[in-house]
Amino acid sequence: YEPNDLPPVARWMGERARVRFPADSVAALRLDLMTHIPDLGERPPGLEFFVNGVRLAAFSLVRYGWLELQISVPESISPNAGGMFEFEIRADRTWQPRPGDANNRDDRELSIAVCNIEVERAADER
């Protein structure tokens, strides 16, 4: 979805989001994320993180607020990447902020907001 000033400026995603970028290699990815999904304690949303189709991390969100996340990327992914990487996030559930509010309707299917994505290259490429 379009950027939203929460603050900071972030983008909400639905069930899946992808970003493609060129790089010779990737050692880690850093990002900040948060959610407004109701009922975190009863039904925590599950998140999965992939690079070039390889699942690197998975967890459930159990509290509100910004989470700083760093995901290591195995060296074995870079040689097969051909200089292009795809970072994908998958969420197992979404919610609609205001589906029934006739004056301020928002029926987007949202899961998490993401910002500050950073790519860390291998130490020998800095």
Side-chain angles (χ1 to χ4, degrees), residues 13-63:
M13 64 171 253
E15 288 183 342
R16 291 183 178 203
R18 293 183 192 127
V19 62
R20 292 180 186 96
F21 57 92
D24 293 331
S25 68
V26 176
L29 294 164
R30 285 190 292 273
L31 62 137
D32 297 331
L33 64 88
M34 60 93 70
T35 190
H36 288 159
I37 290 179
D39 305 324
L40 281 188
E42 296 170 19
R43 291 183 43 214
L47 301 175
E48 294 179 293
F49 300 84
F50 297 81
V51 169
N52 290 4
V54 177
R55 188 171 103 158
L56 302 181
F59 61 87
S60 295
L61 284 176
V62 295
R63 67 181 173 90

Side-chain angles (χ1 to χ4, degrees), residues 23-121:
D24 293 331
S25 68
V26 176
L29 294 164
R30 285 190 292 273
L31 62 137
D32 297 331
L33 64 88
M34 60 93 70
T35 190
H36 288 159
I37 290 179
D39 305 324
L40 281 188
E42 296 170 19
R43 291 183 43 214
L47 301 175
E48 294 179 293
F49 300 84
F50 297 81
V51 169
N52 290 4
V54 177
R55 188 171 103 158
L56 302 181
F59 61 87
S60 295
L61 284 176
V62 295
R63 67 181 173 90
Y64 294 102
W66 285 102
L67 172 66
E68 295 177 21
L69 184 63
Q70 179 169 325
I71 302 169
S72 296
V73 177
E75 290 180 23
S76 60
I77 292 178
S78 292
N80 300 322
M84 285 301 293
F85 291 83
E86 180 178 84
F87 177 46
E88 181 179 7
I89 305 171
R90 298 179 191 170
D92 68 358
R93 77 180 182 106
T94 61
W95 69 288
Q96 292 180 315
R98 295 180 302 273
D101 184 344
N103 296 325
N104 196 16
R105 186 176 178 97
D106 185 350
D107 55 3
R108 296 175 296 169
E109 293 284 340
L110 305 178
S111 59
I112 61 172
V114 178
C115 66
N116 301 327
I117 298 175
E118 295 179 18
V119 176
E120 181 181 313
R121 295 179 185 203

